[in-house]
Short mmCIF file of all heavy atoms in Angstrom, two decimals:
data_model
loop_
_atom_site.label_atom_id
_atom_site.label_comp_id
_atom_site.label_asym_id
_atom_site.label_seq_id
_atom_site.Cartn_x
_atom_site.Cartn_y
_atom_site.Cartn_z
N THR A 52 252.34 158.32 63.05
CA THR A 52 252.65 156.92 63.12
C THR A 52 251.55 156.11 63.88
O THR A 52 250.71 156.73 64.47
CB THR A 52 253.92 156.67 63.87
OG1 THR A 52 253.77 156.86 65.27
CG2 THR A 52 255.09 157.51 63.45
N GLY A 53 251.62 154.85 63.74
CA GLY A 53 250.98 153.98 64.68
C GLY A 53 251.81 153.75 65.95
O GLY A 53 252.70 154.69 66.17
N PRO A 54 251.60 152.70 66.69
CA PRO A 54 252.46 152.43 67.78
C PRO A 54 253.92 152.42 67.21
O PRO A 54 254.07 151.58 66.20
CB PRO A 54 252.03 151.16 68.37
CG PRO A 54 250.64 150.92 67.85
CD PRO A 54 250.55 151.73 66.52
N ASP A 55 254.82 153.17 67.72
CA ASP A 55 256.17 153.14 67.08
C ASP A 55 257.26 153.44 68.15
O ASP A 55 257.27 154.62 68.61
CB ASP A 55 256.09 154.23 65.92
CG ASP A 55 257.38 154.18 65.08
OD1 ASP A 55 258.56 153.95 65.67
OD2 ASP A 55 257.24 154.38 63.86
N LEU A 56 258.04 152.47 68.51
CA LEU A 56 258.97 152.65 69.54
C LEU A 56 260.20 153.48 69.13
O LEU A 56 260.98 154.02 69.96
CB LEU A 56 259.52 151.29 70.16
CG LEU A 56 258.38 150.60 70.98
CD1 LEU A 56 258.85 149.14 71.27
CD2 LEU A 56 258.09 151.28 72.27
N LYS A 57 260.35 153.64 67.81
CA LYS A 57 261.46 154.47 67.41
C LYS A 57 261.08 156.01 67.36
O LYS A 57 261.79 156.83 67.84
CB LYS A 57 261.90 154.16 65.88
CG LYS A 57 262.75 152.88 65.86
CD LYS A 57 263.89 153.00 64.76
CE LYS A 57 264.85 151.85 64.97
NZ LYS A 57 264.28 150.64 64.56
N VAL A 58 259.96 156.28 66.73
CA VAL A 58 259.46 157.75 66.62
C VAL A 58 258.80 158.26 67.79
O VAL A 58 259.08 159.37 68.24
CB VAL A 58 258.60 157.89 65.35
CG1 VAL A 58 258.18 159.40 65.20
CG2 VAL A 58 259.30 157.37 64.06
N HIS A 59 257.89 157.43 68.43
CA HIS A 59 257.13 157.91 69.61
C HIS A 59 257.25 156.94 70.72
O HIS A 59 256.22 156.34 71.16
CB HIS A 59 255.68 158.10 69.18
CG HIS A 59 255.37 159.23 68.20
ND1 HIS A 59 254.82 159.03 66.99
CD2 HIS A 59 255.61 160.55 68.26
CE1 HIS A 59 254.71 160.13 66.34
NE2 HIS A 59 255.22 161.09 67.16
N PRO A 60 258.52 156.67 71.24
CA PRO A 60 258.65 155.59 72.27
C PRO A 60 257.73 155.82 73.53
O PRO A 60 257.18 154.85 73.96
CB PRO A 60 260.17 155.67 72.56
CG PRO A 60 260.64 156.99 72.18
CD PRO A 60 259.65 157.38 71.03
N TYR A 61 257.76 157.07 74.01
CA TYR A 61 257.04 157.29 75.23
C TYR A 61 255.58 157.13 75.15
O TYR A 61 254.95 156.36 75.96
CB TYR A 61 257.32 158.73 75.82
CG TYR A 61 258.83 158.95 76.15
CD1 TYR A 61 259.72 159.31 75.19
CD2 TYR A 61 259.35 158.52 77.35
CE1 TYR A 61 261.04 159.49 75.49
CE2 TYR A 61 260.70 158.65 77.66
CZ TYR A 61 261.60 159.22 76.70
OH TYR A 61 262.90 159.35 76.95
N VAL A 62 254.94 157.67 74.14
CA VAL A 62 253.53 157.59 73.99
C VAL A 62 253.16 156.10 73.59
O VAL A 62 252.08 155.57 74.09
CB VAL A 62 253.01 158.56 72.91
CG1 VAL A 62 251.55 158.36 72.69
CG2 VAL A 62 253.36 159.99 73.34
N THR A 63 253.97 155.38 72.84
CA THR A 63 253.72 153.97 72.47
C THR A 63 253.72 153.17 73.79
O THR A 63 252.77 152.36 73.92
CB THR A 63 254.76 153.54 71.49
OG1 THR A 63 254.65 154.28 70.37
CG2 THR A 63 254.53 152.01 71.11
N HIS A 64 254.61 153.43 74.67
CA HIS A 64 254.57 152.69 75.98
C HIS A 64 253.34 153.06 76.81
O HIS A 64 252.80 152.20 77.41
CB HIS A 64 255.90 152.97 76.83
CG HIS A 64 257.04 152.11 76.29
ND1 HIS A 64 257.06 150.74 76.52
CD2 HIS A 64 258.19 152.38 75.72
CE1 HIS A 64 258.20 150.25 76.08
NE2 HIS A 64 258.93 151.26 75.68
#
Side-chain angles (χ1 to χ4, degrees):
T52 70
D55 188 322
L56 287 169
K57 283 218 169 70
V58 180
H59 294 120
Y61 296 93
V62 177
T63 300
H64 276 295

